[in-house]
Amino acid sequence: MKTVQISLNSIDKVKSFVNSITQFDFDFDLISGRYVIDAKSIMGIFSLDLSKPIELAIHAEANTDEILEVIKPYLVE
């Protein structure tokens, strides 16, 4: 499992992020405080505070480089 910080501060970003990660068969969780939601759920994402970075947990043993390349626009430097 790998965790990274991402920013989803607009509706368009949320939509394109979900479309980007649904191509993978791995599980993705978004963690904000004590809340953990499925990162492939648009409704779940909108239940979070999107004004600050969110932790993304990627439950994949392989292909993490490919996943990170796809989600690069959302990563917090």
Side-chain angles (χ1 to χ4, degrees):
M1 183 175 86
K2 180 166 182 60
T3 59
V4 294
Q5 292 284 319
I6 62 167
S7 175
L8 299 173
N9 53 9
S10 73
I11 294 171
D12 291 334
K13 269 190 165 183
V14 170
K15 284 194 236 174
S16 61
F17 171 76
V18 171
N19 287 337
S20 299
I21 65 168
T22 50
Q23 65 182 327
F24 298 103
D25 288 333
F26 307 112
D27 288 332
F28 297 85
D29 290 328
L30 286 173
I31 304 156
S32 179
R34 60 189 180 95
Y35 298 104
V36 178
I37 58 124
D38 181 0
K40 294 181 181 179
S41 166
I42 290 178
M43 291 303 289
I45 293 173
F46 284 122
S47 71
L48 299 175
D49 178 5
L50 300 177
S51 65
K52 54 187 183 238
I54 305 166
E55 188 175 331
L56 173 67
I58 304 166
H59 300 279
E61 298 304 318
N63 295 29
T64 51
D65 291 338
E66 182 184 349
I67 294 168
L68 289 175
E69 190 61 37
V70 168
I71 64 169
K72 195 175 202 169
Y74 315 101
L75 294 177
V76 175
E77 300 294 317

